[in-house]
């Protein structure tokens, strides 16, 4: 999952970015509203953390521009303002959730997980596909009740596909959401990780749709 952090406090930006990266997210960051607006308009994100009190272009204006341009990624507002009118302005601009500073980092992580799940149409933190269960909160995978050890990239790949269960996800979409901007898009890394993941799971839930991409669905539902 790929997340954008737009926060002008460099220390706080770094803390949030580090916490998200440690939790397995690919993270881009911006320190002002203009840069944040550009990144959010030109790159695909599964969620955005957006401060309201930004230099150059304030957070509400950034969000309004994104929504007018048709950008639908879920947005979590950060604000030091505790007035109800500021919260209303954020929601009216298109925010999906907000957190008032100061906050605990675990709350940020939990809210991002919830936003990503809801955006993908998933209500529970536990995703199930046939014998495969993925716990987004604990970052654990079980097959027939037995734990499966995955690398960070293998887990992120499976999580994204299970978030979009039944949908054919193209290789390009996977690259955009699972890797940073320096990733070599001409490499066969995605194919390699799909092969490893399929072998580790040992069950027929991860399907290659020739010429289109990949799809996770329960055994027997390939047609």
């Amino acid at each position: 999952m790929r997340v954008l952090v737009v926060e002008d406090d460099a220390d706080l930006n770094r803390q949030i970015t580090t916490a998200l990266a440690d939790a397995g997210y690919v993270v881009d960051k911006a320190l002002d509203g203009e840069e944040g607006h550009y990144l959010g308009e030109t790159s695909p994100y599964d969620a955005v953390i957006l401060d309201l009190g930004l230099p150059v272009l304030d957070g509400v204006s950034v969000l309004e521009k994104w929504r007018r341009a048709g950008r639908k990624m879920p947005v979590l507002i950060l604000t030091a303002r505790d007035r109800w009118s500021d919260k209303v302005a954020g929601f009216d601009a298109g925010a999906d959730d907000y957190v008032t500073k100061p906050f605990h980092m675990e709350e940020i992580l939990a809210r991002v997980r919830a936003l990503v799940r809801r955006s993908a149409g998933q209500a529970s933190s536990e995703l199930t596909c046939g014998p495969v269960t993925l716990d987004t909160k604990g970052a654990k995978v079980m097959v027939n009740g037995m734990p499966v050890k995955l690398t960070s990239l293998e887990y992120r790949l499976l999580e994204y596909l299970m978030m979009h269960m039944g949908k054919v996800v193209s290789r390009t979409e996977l690259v955009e959401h699972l890797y940073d901007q320096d990733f070599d898009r001409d490499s066969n890394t995605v194919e390699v990780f799909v092969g490893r993941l399929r072998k580790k799971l040992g069950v027929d839930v991860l399907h290659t749709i020739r010429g289109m991409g990949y799809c996770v669905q329960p055994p027997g539902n390939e047609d």
Side-chain angles (χ1 to χ4, degrees), residues 96-114:
D96 299 272
D97 198 0
Y98 77 91
V99 172
T100 302
K101 302 175 185 177
F103 50 78
H104 292 287
M105 202 59 70
E106 282 301 321
E107 181 182 3
I108 294 292
L109 295 175
R111 289 179 181 273
V112 169
R113 288 195 299 268

Side-chain angles (χ1 to χ4, degrees), residues 4-38:
L4 172 63
V5 178
V6 189
E7 164 62 59
D8 65 313
D9 183 316
D11 287 337
L12 182 56
N13 192 312
R14 183 172 57 254
Q15 291 170 21
I16 297 172
T17 299
T18 299
L20 288 167
D22 288 346
Y25 295 94
V26 175
V27 189
D28 295 331
K29 61 182 180 180
L31 293 170
D32 64 65
E34 186 173 68
E35 182 185 12
H37 170 255
Y38 173 77

Side-chain angles (χ1 to χ4, degrees), residues 50-53 77-82 86-87 98-102:
L50 177 68
D51 184 34
L52 284 186
I77 289 290
L78 297 183
T79 177
R81 311 167 186 172
D82 201 23
D86 292 319
K87 298 170 187 176
Y98 77 91
V99 172
T100 302
K101 302 175 185 177

Side-chain angles (χ1 to χ4, degrees), residues 52-74:
L52 284 186
L54 294 168
V56 186
L57 190 65
D58 68 90
V60 169
S61 297
V62 169
L63 186 49
E64 287 175 340
K65 286 175 176 286
W66 283 339
R67 296 314 192 209
R68 282 199 300 269
R71 305 297 286 171
K72 298 179 180 179
M73 63 281 194

